[in-house]
Amino acid sequence: MLKDLVTLNVFGFLLIFARIGTTFAMMPGVSSPYVPTRVRLGLALAVSFLIAPVLAAGLPTLPPTVPGLALLVAGEILVGAFFGTIARVMFASLQTAGTVIAYSSSMANALIQDPIAEQQSATISGFLLAAGLVAVFATDMHHLMIRAVIDSYDLFQPGHALPFSDLAHMMGRYVADSFRLGLQMAAPFVVAGLTYYIGLGLLGRLMPQLQVFFFGLPFQITAQIWVMTVAFSGILLAFMNHFAEGYAPFLAP
């Protein structure tokens, strides 16, 4: 009885935890440094414990050799890292948009320590990342990622060979789409900044005595803040739609 418990239940739980735990370790928000490691570990263990009875029947048996066990666990960790990286790549669209907006509005020198990106970022990038993270958790869209990981056991079955070429192609597509979306979300600020620079250049030629720096910079920052108030809701809606569509292919019908 004890041997069956060790070889079946505990092994299956640890195999599930390898995929779920890796996903939570890379999940935006949960993986941030301000979240205690015990909280992160507790969430991963709780989710693994809840879904273990449902997925245990489809798990492979314990491999007889250590290399076979290592390959099996490594495959589960790789799948979990793939789903966690997808979320980080989609959140990177907000950081791209914030960086472009900061350069367009002459606020690129205002840097803060971004706890989500875990690096020095422009103030606008940190603001958009924090707003996007709050919107995802407030609307329960983070459940999409958890559901996608659970449903991935039908697509990426433990013990089977992983389609590395498809994973690499899909990851490249997610990176390209994220960068494209970031530029699209920053497009209103780029247009406003370009229009402002052209107008300021013409005004400087017509009025050589105009103090361009003292007059232009405050007006530019004020105008871009006004554009932010108008476009902020559209930016969040575009990101939320992008986040939902990113995990939709992995959800079971």
Side-chain angles (χ1 to χ4, degrees):
M1 183 66 182
L2 181 59
K3 181 180 179 181
D4 295 337
L5 178 64
V6 173
T7 56
L8 293 179
N9 297 341
V10 175
F11 169 72
F13 174 79
L14 293 178
L15 197 62
I16 293 174
F17 176 73
R19 182 181 298 193
I20 300 297
T22 306
T23 303
F24 274 90
M26 303 185 65
M27 180 179 178
V30 179
S31 62
S32 300
Y34 55 79
V35 178
T37 305
R38 293 183 178 180
V39 174
R40 196 180 313 158
L41 182 61
L43 289 174
L45 288 173
V47 174
S48 301
F49 180 78
L50 290 175
I51 66 176
V54 181
L55 302 176
L59 297 177
T61 58
L62 180 64
T65 60
V66 175
L69 177 61
L71 289 176
L72 184 60
V73 174
E76 294 302 296
I77 293 176
L78 182 61
V79 174
F82 173 75
F83 282 96
T85 305
I86 286 178
R88 284 184 170 268
V89 168
M90 288 190 289
F91 268 89
S93 62
L94 292 175
Q95 188 175 19
T96 301
T99 303
V100 175
I101 293 171
Y103 280 111
S104 302
S105 57
S106 298
M107 290 189 288
N109 289 331
L111 301 178
I112 60 172
Q113 178 63 32
D114 192 347
I116 300 175
E118 300 181 10
Q119 63 181 7
Q120 287 282 338
S121 301
T123 304
I124 298 180
S125 298
F127 170 70
L128 291 180
L129 283 171
L133 185 64
V134 170
V136 167
F137 279 88
T139 57
D140 292 335
M141 292 192 66
H142 61 287
H143 293 168
L144 290 177
M145 183 166 58
I146 300 176
R147 286 180 51 197
V149 177
I150 297 174
D151 294 339
S152 68
Y153 281 89
D154 295 330
L155 184 61
F156 305 108
Q157 298 180 3
H160 291 70
L162 295 177
F164 289 101
S165 59
D166 294 339
L167 293 178
H169 176 75
M170 184 172 293
M171 185 58 65
R173 175 50 54 190
Y174 274 102
V175 173
D177 292 343
S178 178
F179 184 76
R180 175 175 54 85
L181 179 64
L183 294 181
Q184 290 175 347
M185 291 188 295
F189 302 88
V190 175
V191 173
L194 182 61
T195 304
Y196 168 78
Y197 285 130
I198 293 175
L200 188 63
L202 294 176
L203 186 62
R205 297 294 295 178
L206 294 175
M207 299 177 60
Q209 70 275 16
L210 177 66
Q211 299 293 330
V212 176
F213 180 79
F214 294 100
F215 166 78
L217 188 60
F219 181 80
Q220 180 187 15
I221 295 176
T222 303
Q224 293 287 18
I225 291 176
W226 179 82
V227 175
M228 173 65 75
T229 60
V230 175
F232 178 68
S233 59
I235 291 175
L236 280 186
L237 288 176
F239 168 72
M240 298 293 286
N241 185 48
H242 175 64
F243 190 85
E245 292 179 351
Y247 283 108
F250 304 102
L251 299 176

